[in-house]
Amino acid sequence: MSRVKRNIVANAAGKGWASINFLIFTPVYLHLMGAEAYGMIGFFATLQAVMFLLDAGLSTSLNRELARASAGAREAQASRELVRTLETLYFLLAAGILVLLLIAAVPLSRYWLHGHDLSPAQRQPVLMLMAGALAVQFPVHLFESGLNGLQRQVLASGTASVFVTVRYGGAALLLWLYRPSLDVFFGWMILTMGVQTWVTR
C-alpha cells in the first residue's frame, strides 16, 4: 500500500474508531449519571469544538511547514525552532483558556446553565474541572498536526485511537465501579488528556 493510501486509511480508521466509542459509551453515561449530568458532558463537547477556533491556523501552518521539511525543502533546525515557537504559543493559549474558564465558572453555573438535579454550587466545581481538561487537551491538536505533516498519520491515528478508548472506556469503568459522578468523569478526562498530550508531544 502506498504511503498516501496508508495515511488516508489511518485517518479514516481513527475518526471511525472515535465515533464508535462515542456511540458505545453514550448510553452507558446516560444510564449511570442521568440526563442532566450528561448534559454537562455535552456542554464540554461544545466547548471543545469552540476552543479549536483559537487555533487560528497555527496547526495548519505547522502541518504545511513540516510537510515541506519531510520533502527536504526546509532545514531540520528551522523546523525544530518553528515547532518550539508554536508550542510556546499553544501552551500560553492553553493557560489563557484555563484562567478564562475558571473565572467564568461562577457566572456560567449561576446564570447560564440550569437544571433540577444539579445546583449552581454543584455545577461550579464541575466547570472548573472542565477548564482543566480543556487546557491540557488543547496542545494535542498542534502535535497531531505536526505528526501528520511528517507523514506519520498511522502513528498519530493509532495514538489517538488508543487514548480515545482509554478515555471513554476508562471513564465508564470508573463511573460503574467507583462513583457515577461528574467529578470522577472529568478528573479522568484531565488525567488521560494530559497523558495523551505528553505522549503525542
Side-chain angles (χ1 to χ4, degrees):
M1 184 183 295
S2 70
R3 174 178 286 187
V4 173
K5 290 181 179 178
R6 186 170 63 247
N7 289 342
I8 291 172
V9 170
N11 285 331
K15 300 295 184 186
W17 183 244
S19 300
I20 289 170
N21 274 267
F22 179 78
L23 291 173
I24 289 173
F25 291 111
T26 293
V28 177
Y29 299 150
L30 279 167
H31 173 72
L32 291 173
M33 293 191 294
E36 188 170 321
Y38 186 76
M40 294 292 287
I41 297 174
F43 180 65
F44 174 71
T46 301
L47 290 177
Q48 283 179 304
V50 172
M51 180 184 64
F52 285 117
L53 295 175
L54 297 174
D55 175 78
L58 295 177
S59 61
T60 304
S61 298
L62 180 64
N63 183 294
R64 181 181 64 250
E65 293 303 318
L66 291 186
R68 291 179 60 205
S70 66
R74 184 183 179 92
E75 293 183 2
Q77 181 60 34
S79 296
R80 283 192 288 270
E81 291 173 357
L82 175 64
V83 170
R84 293 295 170 258
T85 300
L86 294 182
E87 179 185 58
T88 301
L89 287 173
Y90 249 73
F91 282 129
L92 289 173
L93 284 171
I97 289 169
L98 177 62
V99 171
L100 180 63
L101 290 178
L102 288 176
I103 293 172
V106 173
L108 284 175
S109 62
R110 290 182 180 177
Y111 307 116
W112 203 36
L113 298 173
H114 303 283
H116 299 289
D117 298 331
L118 297 173
S119 67
Q122 292 172 311
R123 285 191 291 267
Q124 183 180 335
V126 172
L127 288 168
M128 291 179 172
L129 288 172
M130 281 188 201
L134 289 168
V136 298
Q137 183 196 23
F138 184 63
V140 79
H141 186 56
L142 179 73
F143 302 133
E144 286 179 342
S145 293
L147 286 172
N148 289 336
L150 293 172
Q151 305 299 312
R152 304 298 299 276
Q153 279 89 343
V154 174
L155 177 61
S157 295
T159 302
S161 295
V162 168
F163 276 101
V164 161
T165 305
V166 170
R167 190 158 61 242
Y168 286 123
L173 193 62
L174 277 174
L175 293 173
W176 178 49
L177 294 177
Y178 180 56
R179 187 173 74 246
S181 65
L182 286 167
D183 60 328
V184 171
F185 178 86
F186 285 111
W188 181 249
M189 292 297 108
I190 291 173
L191 176 62
T192 54
M193 288 174 173
V195 173
Q196 181 182 1
T197 296
W198 179 77
V199 169
T200 308
R201 179 180 182 274

mmCIF file with all atom_site columns, all heavy atoms in Angstrom, residues 31-58:
data_model
loop_
_atom_site.group_PDB
_atom_site.id
_atom_site.type_symbol
_atom_site.label_atom_id
_atom_site.label_alt_id
_atom_site.label_comp_id
_atom_site.label_asym_id
_atom_site.label_entity_id
_atom_site.label_seq_id
_atom_site.pdbx_PDB_ins_code
_atom_site.Cartn_x
_atom_site.Cartn_y
_atom_site.Cartn_z
_atom_site.occupancy
_atom_site.B_iso_or_equiv
_atom_site.pdbx_formal_charge
_atom_site.auth_seq_id
_atom_site.auth_comp_id
_atom_site.auth_asym_id
_atom_site.auth_atom_id
_atom_site.pdbx_PDB_model_num
ATOM 1   N N   . HIS A 1 31 ? -27.074 6.169  31.446 1.00 0.00 ? 31 HIS A N   1
ATOM 2   C CA  . HIS A 1 31 ? -27.638 5.239  32.424 1.00 0.00 ? 31 HIS A CA  1
ATOM 3   C C   . HIS A 1 31 ? -27.043 5.450  33.812 1.00 0.00 ? 31 HIS A C   1
ATOM 4   O O   . HIS A 1 31 ? -27.760 5.438  34.816 1.00 0.00 ? 31 HIS A O   1
ATOM 5   C CB  . HIS A 1 31 ? -27.395 3.794  31.963 1.00 0.00 ? 31 HIS A CB  1
ATOM 6   C CG  . HIS A 1 31 ? -27.795 2.767  32.977 1.00 0.00 ? 31 HIS A CG  1
ATOM 7   N ND1 . HIS A 1 31 ? -29.114 2.489  33.280 1.00 0.00 ? 31 HIS A ND1 1
ATOM 8   C CD2 . HIS A 1 31 ? -27.043 1.954  33.775 1.00 0.00 ? 31 HIS A CD2 1
ATOM 9   C CE1 . HIS A 1 31 ? -29.167 1.557  34.210 1.00 0.00 ? 31 HIS A CE1 1
ATOM 10  N NE2 . HIS A 1 31 ? -27.924 1.214  34.527 1.00 0.00 ? 31 HIS A NE2 1
ATOM 11  N N   . LEU A 1 32 ? -25.726 5.668  33.862 1.00 0.00 ? 32 LEU A N   1
ATOM 12  C CA  . LEU A 1 32 ? -25.058 5.757  35.162 1.00 0.00 ? 32 LEU A CA  1
ATOM 13  C C   . LEU A 1 32 ? -25.237 7.111  35.842 1.00 0.00 ? 32 LEU A C   1
ATOM 14  O O   . LEU A 1 32 ? -25.348 7.181  37.069 1.00 0.00 ? 32 LEU A O   1
ATOM 15  C CB  . LEU A 1 32 ? -23.556 5.473  34.989 1.00 0.00 ? 32 LEU A CB  1
ATOM 16  C CG  . LEU A 1 32 ? -23.174 4.038  34.619 1.00 0.00 ? 32 LEU A CG  1
ATOM 17  C CD1 . LEU A 1 32 ? -21.689 3.942  34.309 1.00 0.00 ? 32 LEU A CD1 1
ATOM 18  C CD2 . LEU A 1 32 ? -23.545 3.071  35.739 1.00 0.00 ? 32 LEU A CD2 1
ATOM 19  N N   . MET A 1 33 ? -25.276 8.202  35.061 1.00 0.00 ? 33 MET A N   1
ATOM 20  C CA  . MET A 1 33 ? -25.286 9.536  35.661 1.00 0.00 ? 33 MET A CA  1
ATOM 21  C C   . MET A 1 33 ? -26.597 10.294 35.474 1.00 0.00 ? 33 MET A C   1
ATOM 22  O O   . MET A 1 33 ? -26.858 11.257 36.196 1.00 0.00 ? 33 MET A O   1
ATOM 23  C CB  . MET A 1 33 ? -24.136 10.375 35.087 1.00 0.00 ? 33 MET A CB  1
ATOM 24  C CG  . MET A 1 33 ? -22.765 9.877  35.475 1.00 0.00 ? 33 MET A CG  1
ATOM 25  S SD  . MET A 1 33 ? -21.449 11.066 35.062 1.00 0.00 ? 33 MET A SD  1
ATOM 26  C CE  . MET A 1 33 ? -21.537 11.058 33.283 1.00 0.00 ? 33 MET A CE  1
ATOM 27  N N   . GLY A 1 34 ? -27.393 9.923  34.497 1.00 0.00 ? 34 GLY A N   1
ATOM 28  C CA  . GLY A 1 34 ? -28.628 10.645 34.254 1.00 0.00 ? 34 GLY A CA  1
ATOM 29  C C   . GLY A 1 34 ? -28.475 11.687 33.164 1.00 0.00 ? 34 GLY A C   1
ATOM 30  O O   . GLY A 1 34 ? -27.362 12.092 32.799 1.00 0.00 ? 34 GLY A O   1
ATOM 31  N N   . ALA A 1 35 ? -29.617 12.156 32.661 1.00 0.00 ? 35 ALA A N   1
ATOM 32  C CA  . ALA A 1 35 ? -29.625 13.060 31.501 1.00 0.00 ? 35 ALA A CA  1
ATOM 33  C C   . ALA A 1 35 ? -29.014 14.419 31.816 1.00 0.00 ? 35 ALA A C   1
ATOM 34  O O   . ALA A 1 35 ? -28.312 14.998 30.993 1.00 0.00 ? 35 ALA A O   1
ATOM 35  C CB  . ALA A 1 35 ? -31.056 13.227 30.997 1.00 0.00 ? 35 ALA A CB  1
ATOM 36  N N   . GLU A 1 36 ? -29.284 14.951 33.006 1.00 0.00 ? 36 GLU A N   1
ATOM 37  C CA  . GLU A 1 36 ? -28.782 16.289 33.327 1.00 0.00 ? 36 GLU A CA  1
ATOM 38  C C   . GLU A 1 36 ? -27.261 16.302 33.452 1.00 0.00 ? 36 GLU A C   1
ATOM 39  O O   . GLU A 1 36 ? -26.596 17.220 32.957 1.00 0.00 ? 36 GLU A O   1
ATOM 40  C CB  . GLU A 1 36 ? -29.414 16.806 34.611 1.00 0.00 ? 36 GLU A CB  1
ATOM 41  C CG  . GLU A 1 36 ? -29.085 18.259 34.897 1.00 0.00 ? 36 GLU A CG  1
ATOM 42  C CD  . GLU A 1 36 ? -29.895 18.835 36.037 1.00 0.00 ? 36 GLU A CD  1
ATOM 43  O OE1 . GLU A 1 36 ? -31.099 18.513 36.126 1.00 0.00 ? 36 GLU A OE1 1
ATOM 44  O OE2 . GLU A 1 36 ? -29.325 19.597 36.827 1.00 0.00 ? 36 GLU A OE2 1
ATOM 45  N N   . ALA A 1 37 ? -26.718 15.291 34.087 1.00 0.00 ? 37 ALA A N   1
ATOM 46  C CA  . ALA A 1 37 ? -25.257 15.199 34.188 1.00 0.00 ? 37 ALA A CA  1
ATOM 47  C C   . ALA A 1 37 ? -24.652 15.010 32.805 1.00 0.00 ? 37 ALA A C   1
ATOM 48  O O   . ALA A 1 37 ? -23.613 15.598 32.484 1.00 0.00 ? 37 ALA A O   1
ATOM 49  C CB  . ALA A 1 37 ? -24.864 14.052 35.103 1.00 0.00 ? 37 ALA A CB  1
ATOM 50  N N   . TYR A 1 38 ? -25.304 14.204 31.969 1.00 0.00 ? 38 TYR A N   1
ATOM 51  C CA  . TYR A 1 38 ? -24.778 14.018 30.616 1.00 0.00 ? 38 TYR A CA  1
ATOM 52  C C   . TYR A 1 38 ? -24.861 15.315 29.816 1.00 0.00 ? 38 TYR A C   1
ATOM 53  O O   . TYR A 1 38 ? -24.049 15.555 28.926 1.00 0.00 ? 38 TYR A O   1
ATOM 54  C CB  . TYR A 1 38 ? -25.520 12.896 29.879 1.00 0.00 ? 38 TYR A CB  1
ATOM 55  C CG  . TYR A 1 38 ? -24.878 12.603 28.550 1.00 0.00 ? 38 TYR A CG  1
ATOM 56  C CD1 . TYR A 1 38 ? -23.693 11.888 28.473 1.00 0.00 ? 38 TYR A CD1 1
ATOM 57  C CD2 . TYR A 1 38 ? -25.437 13.080 27.367 1.00 0.00 ? 38 TYR A CD2 1
ATOM 58  C CE1 . TYR A 1 38 ? -23.077 11.651 27.259 1.00 0.00 ? 38 TYR A CE1 1
ATOM 59  C CE2 . TYR A 1 38 ? -24.834 12.846 26.140 1.00 0.00 ? 38 TYR A CE2 1
ATOM 60  C CZ  . TYR A 1 38 ? -23.651 12.126 26.098 1.00 0.00 ? 38 TYR A CZ  1
ATOM 61  O OH  . TYR A 1 38 ? -23.038 11.899 24.890 1.00 0.00 ? 38 TYR A OH  1
ATOM 62  N N   . GLY A 1 39 ? -25.839 16.156 30.151 1.00 0.00 ? 39 GLY A N   1
ATOM 63  C CA  . GLY A 1 39 ? -25.917 17.466 29.505 1.00 0.00 ? 39 GLY A CA  1
ATOM 64  C C   . GLY A 1 39 ? -24.666 18.291 29.763 1.00 0.00 ? 39 GLY A C   1
ATOM 65  O O   . GLY A 1 39 ? -24.223 19.053 28.894 1.00 0.00 ? 39 GLY A O   1
ATOM 66  N N   . MET A 1 40 ? -24.060 18.138 30.936 1.00 0.00 ? 40 MET A N   1
ATOM 67  C CA  . MET A 1 40 ? -22.806 18.832 31.232 1.00 0.00 ? 40 MET A CA  1
ATOM 68  C C   . MET A 1 40 ? -21.676 18.293 30.353 1.00 0.00 ? 40 MET A C   1
ATOM 69  O O   . MET A 1 40 ? -20.797 19.048 29.914 1.00 0.00 ? 40 MET A O   1
ATOM 70  C CB  . MET A 1 40 ? -22.451 18.661 32.715 1.00 0.00 ? 40 MET A CB  1
ATOM 71  C CG  . MET A 1 40 ? -23.415 19.332 33.670 1.00 0.00 ? 40 MET A CG  1
ATOM 72  S SD  . MET A 1 40 ? -23.363 21.148 33.575 1.00 0.00 ? 40 MET A SD  1
ATOM 73  C CE  . MET A 1 40 ? -21.791 21.488 34.369 1.00 0.00 ? 40 MET A CE  1
ATOM 74  N N   . ILE A 1 41 ? -21.705 16.992 30.069 1.00 0.00 ? 41 ILE A N   1
ATOM 75  C CA  . ILE A 1 41 ? -20.715 16.415 29.166 1.00 0.00 ? 41 ILE A CA  1
ATOM 76  C C   . ILE A 1 41 ? -20.924 16.954 27.753 1.00 0.00 ? 41 ILE A C   1
ATOM 77  O O   . ILE A 1 41 ? -19.960 17.239 27.033 1.00 0.00 ? 41 ILE A O   1
ATOM 78  C CB  . ILE A 1 41 ? -20.796 14.878 29.188 1.00 0.00 ? 41 ILE A CB  1
ATOM 79  C CG1 . ILE A 1 41 ? -20.465 14.361 30.582 1.00 0.00 ? 41 ILE A CG1 1
ATOM 80  C CG2 . ILE A 1 41 ? -19.859 14.256 28.153 1.00 0.00 ? 41 ILE A CG2 1
ATOM 81  C CD1 . ILE A 1 41 ? -20.652 12.863 30.759 1.00 0.00 ? 41 ILE A CD1 1
ATOM 82  N N   . GLY A 1 42 ? -22.182 17.136 27.365 1.00 0.00 ? 42 GLY A N   1
ATOM 83  C CA  . GLY A 1 42 ? -22.471 17.738 26.066 1.00 0.00 ? 42 GLY A CA  1
ATOM 84  C C   . GLY A 1 42 ? -21.983 19.176 25.984 1.00 0.00 ? 42 GLY A C   1
ATOM 85  O O   . GLY A 1 42 ? -21.477 19.613 24.938 1.00 0.00 ? 42 GLY A O   1
ATOM 86  N N   . PHE A 1 43 ? -22.117 19.905 27.084 1.00 0.00 ? 43 PHE A N   1
ATOM 87  C CA  . PHE A 1 43 ? -21.600 21.272 27.128 1.00 0.00 ? 43 PHE A CA  1
ATOM 88  C C   . PHE A 1 43 ? -20.082 21.273 26.991 1.00 0.00 ? 43 PHE A C   1
ATOM 89  O O   . PHE A 1 43 ? -19.501 22.126 26.310 1.00 0.00 ? 43 PHE A O   1
ATOM 90  C CB  . PHE A 1 43 ? -22.021 21.930 28.451 1.00 0.00 ? 43 PHE A CB  1
ATOM 91  C CG  . PHE A 1 43 ? -21.539 23.343 28.615 1.00 0.00 ? 43 PHE A CG  1
ATOM 92  C CD1 . PHE A 1 43 ? -21.984 24.342 27.774 1.00 0.00 ? 43 PHE A CD1 1
ATOM 93  C CD2 . PHE A 1 43 ? -20.636 23.662 29.623 1.00 0.00 ? 43 PHE A CD2 1
ATOM 94  C CE1 . PHE A 1 43 ? -21.539 25.657 27.921 1.00 0.00 ? 43 PHE A CE1 1
ATOM 95  C CE2 . PHE A 1 43 ? -20.186 24.972 29.778 1.00 0.00 ? 43 PHE A CE2 1
ATOM 96  C CZ  . PHE A 1 43 ? -20.639 25.965 28.916 1.00 0.00 ? 43 PHE A CZ  1
ATOM 97  N N   . PHE A 1 44 ? -19.435 20.301 27.610 1.00 0.00 ? 44 PHE A N   1
ATOM 98  C CA  . PHE A 1 44 ? -17.984 20.151 27.489 1.00 0.00 ? 44 PHE A CA  1
ATOM 99  C C   . PHE A 1 44 ? -17.580 19.904 26.032 1.00 0.00 ? 44 PHE A C   1
ATOM 100 O O   . PHE A 1 44 ? -16.613 20.492 25.535 1.00 0.00 ? 44 PHE A O   1
ATOM 101 C CB  . PHE A 1 44 ? -17.526 18.997 28.378 1.00 0.00 ? 44 PHE A CB  1
ATOM 102 C CG  . PHE A 1 44 ? -16.079 18.644 28.253 1.00 0.00 ? 44 PHE A CG  1
ATOM 103 C CD1 . PHE A 1 44 ? -15.104 19.487 28.755 1.00 0.00 ? 44 PHE A CD1 1
ATOM 104 C CD2 . PHE A 1 44 ? -15.685 17.461 27.640 1.00 0.00 ? 44 PHE A CD2 1
ATOM 105 C CE1 . PHE A 1 44 ? -13.756 19.154 28.656 1.00 0.00 ? 44 PHE A CE1 1
ATOM 106 C CE2 . PHE A 1 44 ? -14.344 17.127 27.535 1.00 0.00 ? 44 PHE A CE2 1
ATOM 107 C CZ  . PHE A 1 44 ? -13.376 17.977 28.038 1.00 0.00 ? 44 PHE A CZ  1
ATOM 108 N N   . ALA A 1 45 ? -18.336 19.048 25.342 1.00 0.00 ? 45 ALA A N   1
ATOM 109 C CA  . ALA A 1 45 ? -18.045 18.769 23.928 1.00 0.00 ? 45 ALA A CA  1
ATOM 110 C C   . ALA A 1 45 ? -18.197 20.027 23.081 1.00 0.00 ? 45 ALA A C   1
ATOM 111 O O   . ALA A 1 45 ? -17.425 20.261 22.141 1.00 0.00 ? 45 ALA A O   1
ATOM 112 C CB  . ALA A 1 45 ? -18.963 17.666 23.419 1.00 0.00 ? 45 ALA A CB  1
ATOM 113 N N   . THR A 1 46 ? -19.185 20.858 23.422 1.00 0.00 ? 46 THR A N   1
ATOM 114 C CA  . THR A 1 46 ? -19.375 22.121 22.703 1.00 0.00 ? 46 THR A CA  1
ATOM 115 C C   . THR A 1 46 ? -18.186 23.049 22.920 1.00 0.00 ? 46 THR A C   1
ATOM 116 O O   . THR A 1 46 ? -17.692 23.682 21.984 1.00 0.00 ? 46 THR A O   1
ATOM 117 C CB  . THR A 1 46 ? -20.671 22.810 23.173 1.00 0.00 ? 46 THR A CB  1
ATOM 118 O OG1 . THR A 1 46 ? -21.780 21.936 22.940 1.00 0.00 ? 46 THR A OG1 1
ATOM 119 C CG2 . THR A 1 46 ? -20.897 24.113 22.416 1.00 0.00 ? 46 THR A CG2 1
ATOM 120 N N   . LEU A 1 47 ? -17.725 23.132 24.163 1.00 0.00 ? 47 LEU A N   1
ATOM 121 C CA  . LEU A 1 47 ? -16.556 23.958 24.458 1.00 0.00 ? 47 LEU A CA  1
ATOM 122 C C   . LEU A 1 47 ? -15.318 23.459 23.715 1.00 0.00 ? 47 LEU A C   1
ATOM 123 O O   . LEU A 1 47 ? -14.492 24.261 23.262 1.00 0.00 ? 47 LEU A O   1
ATOM 124 C CB  . LEU A 1 47 ? -16.280 23.967 25.962 1.00 0.00 ? 47 LEU A CB  1
ATOM 125 C CG  . LEU A 1 47 ? -17.275 24.727 26.843 1.00 0.00 ? 47 LEU A CG  1
ATOM 126 C CD1 . LEU A 1 47 ? -16.895 24.579 28.311 1.00 0.00 ? 47 LEU A CD1 1
ATOM 127 C CD2 . LEU A 1 47 ? -17.332 26.199 26.461 1.00 0.00 ? 47 LEU A CD2 1
ATOM 128 N N   . GLN A 1 48 ? -15.186 22.128 23.579 1.00 0.00 ? 48 GLN A N   1
ATOM 129 C CA  . GLN A 1 48 ? -14.063 21.579 22.828 1.00 0.00 ? 48 GLN A CA  1
ATOM 130 C C   . GLN A 1 48 ? -14.078 22.074 21.380 1.00 0.00 ? 48 GLN A C   1
ATOM 131 O O   . GLN A 1 48 ? -13.043 22.458 20.836 1.00 0.00 ? 48 GLN A O   1
ATOM 132 C CB  . GLN A 1 48 ? -14.113 20.048 22.828 1.00 0.00 ? 48 GLN A CB  1
ATOM 133 C CG  . GLN A 1 48 ? -13.663 19.408 24.120 1.00 0.00 ? 48 GLN A CG  1
ATOM 134 C CD  . GLN A 1 48 ? -13.758 17.901 24.052 1.00 0.00 ? 48 GLN A CD  1
ATOM 135 O OE1 . GLN A 1 48 ? -14.815 17.350 23.784 1.00 0.00 ? 48 GLN A OE1 1
ATOM 136 N NE2 . GLN A 1 48 ? -12.652 17.226 24.293 1.00 0.00 ? 48 GLN A NE2 1
ATOM 137 N N   . ALA A 1 49 ? -15.270 22.058 20.765 1.00 0.00 ? 49 ALA A N   1
ATOM 138 C CA  . ALA A 1 49 ? -15.382 22.495 19.373 1.00 0.00 ? 49 ALA A CA  1
ATOM 139 C C   . ALA A 1 49 ? -15.065 23.978 19.235 1.00 0.00 ? 49 ALA A C   1
ATOM 140 O O   . ALA A 1 49 ? -14.364 24.395 18.304 1.00 0.00 ? 49 ALA A O   1
ATOM 141 C CB  . ALA A 1 49 ? -16.786 22.194 18.853 1.00 0.00 ? 49 ALA A CB  1
ATOM 142 N N   . VAL A 1 50 ? -15.564 24.789 20.166 1.00 0.00 ? 50 VAL A N   1
ATOM 143 C CA  . VAL A 1 50 ? -15.320 26.233 20.113 1.00 0.00 ? 50 VAL A CA  1
ATOM 144 C C   . VAL A 1 50 ? -13.853 26.540 20.383 1.00 0.00 ? 50 VAL A C   1
ATOM 145 O O   . VAL A 1 50 ? -13.259 27.439 19.763 1.00 0.00 ? 50 VAL A O   1
ATOM 146 C CB  . VAL A 1 50 ? -16.211 26.953 21.148 1.00 0.00 ? 50 VAL A CB  1
ATOM 147 C CG1 . VAL A 1 50 ? -15.839 28.430 21.259 1.00 0.00 ? 50 VAL A CG1 1
ATOM 148 C CG2 . VAL A 1 50 ? -17.685 26.810 20.766 1.00 0.00 ? 50 VAL A CG2 1
ATOM 149 N N   . MET A 1 51 ? -13.239 25.772 21.272 1.00 0.00 ? 51 MET A N   1
ATOM 150 C CA  . MET A 1 51 ? -11.863 26.013 21.659 1.00 0.00 ? 51 MET A CA  1
ATOM 151 C C   . MET A 1 51 ? -10.904 25.945 20.477 1.00 0.00 ? 51 MET A C   1
ATOM 152 O O   . MET A 1 51 ? -9.953  26.722 20.394 1.00 0.00 ? 51 MET A O   1
ATOM 153 C CB  . MET A 1 51 ? -11.459 24.979 22.716 1.00 0.00 ? 51 MET A CB  1
ATOM 154 C CG  . MET A 1 51 ? -10.041 25.094 23.214 1.00 0.00 ? 51 MET A CG  1
ATOM 155 S SD  . MET A 1 51 ? -9.669  23.743 24.360 1.00 0.00 ? 51 MET A SD  1
ATOM 156 C CE  . MET A 1 51 ? -9.809  22.317 23.270 1.00 0.00 ? 51 MET A CE  1
ATOM 157 N N   . PHE A 1 52 ? -11.160 25.038 19.550 1.00 0.00 ? 52 PHE A N   1
ATOM 158 C CA  . PHE A 1 52 ? -10.234 24.868 18.438 1.00 0.00 ? 52 PHE A CA  1
ATOM 159 C C   . PHE A 1 52 ? -10.290 26.028 17.447 1.00 0.00 ? 52 PHE A C   1
ATOM 160 O O   . PHE A 1 52 ? -9.438  26.137 16.572 1.00 0.00 ? 52 PHE A O   1
ATOM 161 C CB  . PHE A 1 52 ? -10.477 23.535 17.744 1.00 0.00 ? 52 PHE A CB  1
ATOM 162 C CG  . PHE A 1 52 ? -9.963  22.364 18.541 1.00 0.00 ? 52 PHE A CG  1
ATOM 163 C CD1 . PHE A 1 52 ? -10.829 21.400 19.023 1.00 0.00 ? 52 PHE A CD1 1
ATOM 164 C CD2 . PHE A 1 52 ? -8.615  22.256 18.839 1.00 0.00 ? 52 PHE A CD2 1
ATOM 165 C CE1 . PHE A 1 52 ? -10.350 20.342 19.767 1.00 0.00 ? 52 PHE A CE1 1
ATOM 166 C CE2 . PHE A 1 52 ? -8.128  21.202 19.592 1.00 0.00 ? 52 PHE A CE2 1
ATOM 167 C CZ  . PHE A 1 52 ? -9.005  20.240 20.058 1.00 0.00 ? 52 PHE A CZ  1
ATOM 168 N N   . LEU A 1 53 ? -11.274 26.918 17.593 1.00 0.00 ? 53 LEU A N   1
ATOM 169 C CA  . LEU A 1 53 ? -11.268 28.146 16.797 1.00 0.00 ? 53 LEU A CA  1
ATOM 170 C C   . LEU A 1 53 ? -10.091 29.030 17.195 1.00 0.00 ? 53 LEU A C   1
ATOM 171 O O   . LEU A 1 53 ? -9.629  29.860 16.404 1.00 0.00 ? 53 LEU A O   1
ATOM 172 C CB  . LEU A 1 53 ? -12.587 28.894 16.975 1.00 0.00 ? 53 LEU A CB  1
ATOM 173 C CG  . LEU A 1 53 ? -13.851 28.195 16.459 1.00 0.00 ? 53 LEU A CG  1
ATOM 174 C CD1 . LEU A 1 53 ? -15.087 29.022 16.817 1.00 0.00 ? 53 LEU A CD1 1
ATOM 175 C CD2 . LEU A 1 53 ? -13.786 27.958 14.962 1.00 0.00 ? 53 LEU A CD2 1
ATOM 176 N N   . LEU A 1 54 ? -9.606  28.856 18.438 1.00 0.00 ? 54 LEU A N   1
ATOM 177 C CA  . LEU A 1 54 ? -8.469  29.647 18.905 1.00 0.00 ? 54 LEU A CA  1
ATOM 178 C C   . LEU A 1 54 ? -7.174  29.247 18.223 1.00 0.00 ? 54 LEU A C   1
ATOM 179 O O   . LEU A 1 54 ? -6.167  29.950 18.330 1.00 0.00 ? 54 LEU A O   1
ATOM 180 C CB  . LEU A 1 54 ? -8.320  29.491 20.427 1.00 0.00 ? 54 LEU A CB  1
ATOM 181 C CG  . LEU A 1 54 ? -9.479  30.009 21.280 1.00 0.00 ? 54 LEU A CG  1
ATOM 182 C CD1 . LEU A 1 54 ? -9.251  29.653 22.744 1.00 0.00 ? 54 LEU A CD1 1
ATOM 183 C CD2 . LEU A 1 54 ? -9.643  31.506 21.115 1.00 0.00 ? 54 LEU A CD2 1
ATOM 184 N N   . ASP A 1 55 ? -7.196  28.132 17.541 1.00 0.00 ? 55 ASP A N   1
ATOM 185 C CA  . ASP A 1 55 ? -6.007  27.673 16.824 1.00 0.00 ? 55 ASP A CA  1
ATOM 186 C C   . ASP A 1 55 ? -5.542  28.697 15.788 1.00 0.00 ? 55 ASP A C   1
ATOM 187 O O   . ASP A 1 55 ? -4.350  28.900 15.587 1.00 0.00 ? 55 ASP A O   1
ATOM 188 C CB  . ASP A 1 55 ? -6.312  26.338 16.140 1.00 0.00 ? 55 ASP A CB  1
ATOM 189 C CG  . ASP A 1 55 ? -5.174  25.852 15.284 1.00 0.00 ? 55 ASP A CG  1
ATOM 190 O OD1 . ASP A 1 55 ? -4.211  25.325 15.839 1.00 0.00 ? 55 ASP A OD1 1
ATOM 191 O OD2 . ASP A 1 55 ? -5.247  26.036 14.047 1.00 0.00 ? 55 ASP A OD2 1
ATOM 192 N N   . ALA A 1 56 ? -6.508  29.344 15.120 1.00 0.00 ? 56 ALA A N   1
ATOM 193 C CA  . ALA A 1 56 ? -6.223  30.425 14.162 1.00 0.00 ? 56 ALA A CA  1
ATOM 194 C C   . ALA A 1 56 ? -5.240  30.013 13.060 1.00 0.00 ? 56 ALA A C   1
ATOM 195 O O   . ALA A 1 56 ? -4.437  30.814 12.598 1.00 0.00 ? 56 ALA A O   1
ATOM 196 C CB  . ALA A 1 56 ? -5.700  31.668 14.893 1.00 0.00 ? 56 ALA A CB  1
ATOM 197 N N   . GLY A 1 57 ? -5.281  28.739 12.687 1.00 0.00 ? 57 GLY A N   1
ATOM 198 C CA  . GLY A 1 57 ? -4.437  28.281 11.586 1.00 0.00 ? 57 GLY A CA  1
ATOM 199 C C   . GLY A 1 57 ? -3.029  27.891 11.975 1.00 0.00 ? 57 GLY A C   1
ATOM 200 O O   . GLY A 1 57 ? -2.225  27.535 11.106 1.00 0.00 ? 57 GLY A O   1
ATOM 201 N N   . LEU A 1 58 ? -2.695  27.940 13.263 1.00 0.00 ? 58 LEU A N   1
ATOM 202 C CA  . LEU A 1 58 ? -1.331  27.610 13.691 1.00 0.00 ? 58 LEU A CA  1
ATOM 203 C C   . LEU A 1 58 ? -0.985  26.150 13.389 1.00 0.00 ? 58 LEU A C   1
ATOM 204 O O   . LEU A 1 58 ? 0.111   25.848 12.898 1.00 0.00 ? 58 LEU A O   1
ATOM 205 C CB  . LEU A 1 58 ? -1.157  27.895 15.176 1.00 0.00 ? 58 LEU A CB  1
ATOM 206 C CG  . LEU A 1 58 ? -1.259  29.355 15.615 1.00 0.00 ? 58 LEU A CG  1
ATOM 207 C CD1 . LEU A 1 58 ? -1.126  29.460 17.130 1.00 0.00 ? 58 LEU A CD1 1
ATOM 208 C CD2 . LEU A 1 58 ? -0.190  30.198 14.936 1.00 0.00 ? 58 LEU A CD2 1
#
